[in-house]
């Protein structure tokens, strides 16, 4: 069990660090643009929590530690189902969203999600094509091997 | 390997002389048995005999089994599981609950994002290798020449 648990936890740690560093950079840029006085420790703690939730969602959805036999579409849908509500909740907590929000805010929010989803599916499709080339080479070798095998037997 | 041919009016039979009846000899026996094997099928009231090499795939629909060749579709009384046991599994692969395909008739494979693989057959038909059968299929063709 340690063979799976420890690498799993390491991945969560690494993903959390990666996501947190990028979100912190985004917070800094946003603060500078908005001329905010400073970034509070409370804000950074909330960003860290969001990073952790994203990291756990990613690790569960896209590695084979928990989900072993599902394909890319299932994984990305699972990630979206888990992460999006968490993201909305943290956005409210941070103060990015308040009240019911505006239509424009929600359009931007879901527009970005939809764009990223489409890009991810596109990348998945390209990955399938690459796998297709490899599979077709294997098929050709297999068929050639079967033909040669038959000739040897005769 | 020495090969001798003796003409005998009583019929064609192949006898294998070997030091040991191992796996290789078993494969040779199976290949000889399969050589020239045919299957009969019905198309309407007509019964036809089809060589295995001409078969693209078998499909089971509503409890009936159909043989697909390049230019015809025949019905056979054999069930899919019977065909699966009878056919050389290095040439005919059970690719889903309802289909057995002839690997030699597959022209191109296309993996789908849903984890199925679409197999494009000679003649243009497209058969789906179900995701449950994909890993077995990959393992088989990944071995290269069958052992």
């Amino acid at each position: 069990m340690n063979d799976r648990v420890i690498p799993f936890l390491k991945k969560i740690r690494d993903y959390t660090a990666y996501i947190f560093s990028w979100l912190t950079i985004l917070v800094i840029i946003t603060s500078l643009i908005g001329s905010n006085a400073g970034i509070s420790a409370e804000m950074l703690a909330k960003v860290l929590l969001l990073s952790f939730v994203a990291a756990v969602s990613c690790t569960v959805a896209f590695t084979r530690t928990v989900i072993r036999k599902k394909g890319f579409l299932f994984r990305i849908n699972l990630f979206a189902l888990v992460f999006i509500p968490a993201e909305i909740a943290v956005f409210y907590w941070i103060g990015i969203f308040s009240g019911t929000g505006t239509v424009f805010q929600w359009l931007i929010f879901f527009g970005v999600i939809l764009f990223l989803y489409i890009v991810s599916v596109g990348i998945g499709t390209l990955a399938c094509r690459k796998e297709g080339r490899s599979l077709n080479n294997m098929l050709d070798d297999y068929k050639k091997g079967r033909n040669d095998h038959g000739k040897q037997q005769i | 390997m020495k090969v001798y041919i003796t003409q005998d009016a009583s019929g064609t039979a192949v006898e294998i002389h070997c030091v040991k009846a191992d796996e290789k000899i078993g494969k040779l026996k199976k290949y000889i048995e399969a050589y020239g094997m045919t299957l009969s099928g019905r198309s309407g009231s007509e019964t036809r005999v089809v060589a295995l090499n001409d078969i693209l795939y078998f499909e089971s629909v509503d409890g009936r089994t159909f043989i697909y060749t390049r230019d015809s579709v025949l019905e056979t009384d054999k069930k899919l599981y019977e065909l699966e046991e009878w056919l050389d599994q290095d040439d005919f692969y059970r690719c889903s609950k309802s289909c057995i395909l002839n690997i030699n008739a597959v022209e191109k494979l296309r993996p789908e994002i849903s984890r199925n693989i679409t197999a494009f057959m000679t003649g243009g038909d497209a058969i789906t290798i179900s995701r449950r059968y994909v890993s077995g299929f990959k393992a088989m063709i990944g071995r290269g020449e069958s052992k």
Side-chain angles (χ1 to χ4, degrees):
Chain A
M1 187 166 157
N2 273 350
D3 294 344
R4 288 166 57 190
V5 171
I6 291 174
F8 179 73
L9 292 174
K10 279 184 181 176
K11 278 195 177 96
I12 292 178
R13 175 201 67 192
D14 294 343
Y15 291 173
T16 303
Y18 182 79
I19 295 166
F20 181 65
S21 59
W22 277 105
L23 283 181
T24 305
I25 290 170
L26 278 176
V27 168
I28 291 169
I29 291 170
T30 313
S31 294
L32 286 172
I33 290 171
S35 304
N36 286 346
I39 299 166
S40 65
E42 187 187 344
M43 170 67 135
L44 286 178
K46 290 172 183 176
V47 170
L48 179 60
L49 176 66
L50 181 62
S51 307
F52 179 72
V53 171
V56 170
S57 310
C58 249
T59 311
V60 168
F62 294 113
T63 66
R64 291 189 190 278
T65 311
V66 176
I67 299 165
R68 303 204 128 193
K69 290 188 178 181
K70 293 296 184 182
F72 178 73
L73 263 184
F74 177 89
R75 291 173 186 277
I76 196 168
N77 290 337
L78 175 69
F79 173 75
L81 277 173
V82 170
F83 182 64
I84 289 168
E87 191 184 10
I88 293 172
V90 173
F91 275 16
Y92 269 103
W93 193 27
I94 289 176
I96 295 174
F97 287 171
S98 59
T100 54
T102 65
V103 171
F104 183 68
Q105 276 178 323
W106 288 111
L107 275 175
I108 298 275
F109 181 76
F110 283 108
V112 169
I113 288 171
L114 187 62
F115 173 74
L116 292 173
Y117 185 87
I118 291 169
V119 167
S120 300
V121 170
I123 292 172
T125 305
L126 286 175
C128 278
R129 282 200 196 152
K130 189 178 171 189
E131 191 196 353
R133 283 193 281 275
S134 160
L135 261 184
N136 280 300
N137 287 338
M138 276 163 53
L139 174 70
D140 290 339
D141 290 342
Y142 181 82
K143 281 158 61 176
K144 184 176 181 298
R146 288 295 296 156
N147 284 336
D148 292 346
H149 188 72
K151 283 175 191 166
Q152 284 171 19
Q153 296 287 15
I154 292 293
Chain B
M1 188 188 298
K2 294 173 188 170
V3 179
Y4 303 101
I5 296 176
T6 307
Q7 283 186 277
D8 185 340
S10 62
T12 302
V14 176
E15 193 173 285
I16 303 173
H17 294 254
C18 58
V19 172
K20 187 181 172 189
D22 57 10
E23 191 186 334
K24 269 180 93 174
I25 300 297
K27 283 265 182 184
L28 176 60
K29 176 174 178 282
K30 208 170 174 194
Y31 185 85
I32 293 169
E33 283 171 342
Y35 185 80
M37 268 168 76
T38 58
L39 197 58
S40 64
R42 296 186 308 279
S43 176
S45 55
E46 183 192 346
T47 300
R48 282 179 51 194
V49 172
V50 183
L52 286 191
N53 289 342
D54 293 336
I55 295 174
L56 303 180
Y57 60 98
F58 300 88
E59 191 177 28
S60 173
V61 180
D62 293 336
R64 297 160 69 185
T65 309
F66 296 91
I67 304 167
Y68 289 81
T69 65
R70 229 190 225 269
D71 48 21
S72 61
V73 180
L74 307 170
E75 186 177 351
T76 175
D77 292 330
K78 286 188 183 288
K79 298 293 178 195
L80 222 57
Y81 74 89
E82 290 172 324
L83 289 166
E84 198 181 0
E85 287 167 6
W86 180 64
L87 294 164
D88 185 342
Q89 292 184 6
D90 288 333
D91 288 324
F92 288 88
Y93 181 74
R94 181 78 177 260
C95 62
S96 69
K97 272 189 185 175
S98 59
C99 193
I100 296 173
L101 58 71
N102 181 353
I103 296 170
N104 297 305
V106 177
E107 290 201 336
K108 190 182 157 186
L109 296 168
R110 188 180 72 196
E112 306 292 347
I113 203 165
S114 55
R115 283 179 66 226
N116 294 335
I117 294 177
T118 303
F120 294 92
M121 312 299 289
T122 309
D125 286 355
I127 302 298
T128 298
I129 301 174
S130 164
R131 62 178 79 102
R132 283 191 181 184
Y133 296 83
V134 161
S135 54
F137 181 75
K138 283 181 183 175
M140 189 175 72
I141 65 173
R143 287 203 311 267
E145 182 177 347
S146 67
K147 295 184 179 142

